[in-house]
Amino acid sequence: MLGVPVLSAAGTEDREAPAPLNRDELSLYTVPEQNYNFIQHEPGQIEETVAAARSFVEPYFSWCRGTYNKIQPKVQRGVQLGSDSYAFLRDPPRDFYPKAGVIGFTGILGLFLARGSRAKRLLYPAGLVAVSASLYYPERAAGIAKTAGDRVYAGAVQGYAALEKLINPQEKKLTDSENRP
């Protein structure tokens, strides 16, 4: 090299050329070895008090949460029923209020006539309200009577079967053993 001065950052002394590096040897591609020493933090008096309070309150909190989860759907249904009732009463069908007045009056008349026993206090108002409501709404009364009759019939059949099983348990076993091959 004739007359071309070469400048280097380290100085003017001659150095040997470094050996080529592998990619794994570069610091960008390797994770340096690190020795971590984890020191467990000792809880203070406030942290211990809060932990004790949390463990004391946790059963009550879980009970409250369970109760809330049981009650919440019922409350939402009640709120929905109230809003539906308000919307219905805000724009009622024709002749709704006179019909409701007559049905309510028969209930009060039933309370007046039901002096004496508790059974009368329950049956007279409910019976008179049911009769007067069925006069104004015969289709609904017929539907309710049909479903109630079906349920009573199903209950009577189940009761009869249970009573028969209690009275004749021996005969049931004999017929089961006779039917088996």
Side-chain angles (χ1 to χ4, degrees), residues 6 8 13 27 51 70 82 90 116 124 130 136 141 146 149 151 153 167 177:
V6 177
S8 79
E13 50 193 61
S27 64
K70 287 179 184 176
R90 192 174 46 181
Y124 281 16
Y136 284 119
K146 183 179 181 331
R151 287 183 182 173
Y153 177 74
I167 292 174
S177 63

Side-chain angles (χ1 to χ4, degrees), residues 80-145:
Q80 185 64 39
L81 177 68
S83 64
D84 292 345
S85 299
Y86 175 74
F88 179 78
L89 292 175
R90 192 174 46 181
D91 187 26
R94 200 180 108 236
D95 294 336
F96 172 74
Y97 288 118
K99 291 177 184 178
V102 169
I103 293 170
F105 178 73
T106 57
I108 293 171
L109 181 66
L111 283 175
F112 180 72
L113 295 174
R115 293 186 181 170
S117 69
R118 291 183 181 175
K120 285 183 182 178
R121 288 184 196 166
L122 179 66
L123 295 176
Y124 281 16
L128 288 175
V129 165
V131 167
S132 63
S134 67
L135 292 175
Y136 284 119
Y137 303 104
E139 301 88 18
R140 291 185 183 173
I144 291 171

